[in-house]
Amino acid sequence: MNNFKEVNIAEFQTKPFEIFGKDFMALCAGSEQNGCNAMTIAWGHLGSLWERGSHANRLPTVTCFVRPSRYTRKFMDNEPYFALCTFNSDDKKVLGYLGSHSGRDGDKFKASGLTPVFKDSTVYCAEAETVFICRKLYAAALQEENFVDKALVEFNYPDRDFHTLYIGEVVKIFQKA
């Protein structure tokens, strides 16, 4: 199992348009007691949103999206924390597996060769390069009537299976040591 070092969130640097969209990542949710799952995601955002305690305390946040049909959604809805895991380019096959198989049919961690780590109130992958531990702040289903660009609906949601948007506060970041 890889060792991780915690990174100061204020000093963390990445290329958000690469880790979301180009490289993809794994969204992990669940617990050792209640079960867990992982899935590949390509859509999301990193940034800051809202404040707590003072107007200078902007929260570091991630936004990710999960379709209602995904097995991982059950764990996202039932657990207060989730994790996002980035991988190196050699792990594209693993991410392909996580994105094309359902956890309803078996243990995706075991089948993909990934090792689940149950720590920091969630689950993440021991083989990850970077792990974002996130505390869920907000969840809402995307609504068709709120799309200004209606062409996006037809292209991305022909079956009207709109994603649920999840916003999580990044509470810890780990990188492979």
Side-chain angles (χ1 to χ4, degrees), residues 82-101:
F82 63 93
L84 298 178
C85 300
T86 68
F87 293 87
N88 68 41
S89 58
D90 296 337
D91 292 317
K92 288 287 188 187
K93 188 174 182 179
V94 169
L95 289 171
Y97 183 87
L98 294 179
S100 62
H101 292 78

Side-chain angles (χ1 to χ4, degrees), residues 67-79:
R67 287 192 193 266
S69 61
R70 297 302 297 257
Y71 184 57
T72 304
R73 175 147 172 226
K74 162 181 136 173
F75 301 104
M76 288 293 289
D77 289 343
N78 292 334
E79 297 292 335

Side-chain angles (χ1 to χ4, degrees), residues 16-27 39-46 62-67 82 84 142 147 152-153 155-158 161-166:
F17 298 114
E18 289 188 19
I19 65 171
F20 282 111
K22 181 178 176 258
D23 294 338
F24 307 152
M25 61 178 68
L27 166 63
M39 63 179 268
T40 302
I41 63 170
W43 295 351
H45 297 98
L46 288 169
V62 299
T63 304
C64 57
F65 303 85
V66 181
R67 287 192 193 266
F82 63 93
L84 298 178
L142 297 179
F147 279 86
L152 291 172
V153 173
F155 187 82
N156 293 284
Y157 302 102
D161 57 338
F162 296 100
H163 287 88
T164 295
L165 168 149
Y166 295 92

Side-chain angles (χ1 to χ4, degrees), residues 49-59 135 169:
L49 182 65
W50 300 318
E51 298 163 333
R52 181 183 288 120
S54 76
H55 288 294
N57 187 11
R58 290 173 181 81
L59 302 179
R135 188 173 68 84
E169 176 183 5

Side-chain angles (χ1 to χ4, degrees), residues 76-177:
M76 288 293 289
D77 289 343
N78 292 334
E79 297 292 335
Y81 289 83
F82 63 93
L84 298 178
C85 300
T86 68
F87 293 87
N88 68 41
S89 58
D90 296 337
D91 292 317
K92 288 287 188 187
K93 188 174 182 179
V94 169
L95 289 171
Y97 183 87
L98 294 179
S100 62
H101 292 78
S102 175
R104 288 182 188 93
D105 301 328
D107 184 339
K108 285 171 63 173
F109 282 97
K110 185 176 180 179
S112 65
L114 293 172
T115 308
V117 175
F118 295 97
K119 191 175 171 195
D120 296 295
S121 303
T122 192
V123 60
Y124 55 89
C125 303
E127 297 78 7
E129 291 289 319
T130 304
V131 176
F132 299 87
I133 303 295
C134 306
R135 188 173 68 84
K136 191 170 53 176
L137 299 175
Y138 183 84
L142 297 179
Q143 302 292 318
E144 183 172 359
E145 60 271 14
N146 294 334
F147 279 86
V148 175
D149 184 341
K150 301 300 184 194
L152 291 172
V153 173
E154 293 307 319
F155 187 82
N156 293 284
Y157 302 102
D159 297 329
R160 302 307 192 259
D161 57 338
F162 296 100
H163 287 88
T164 295
L165 168 149
Y166 295 92
I167 299 172
E169 176 183 5
V170 179
V171 295
K172 290 184 181 180
I173 300 175
F174 297 113
Q175 287 189 307
K176 190 183 281 186

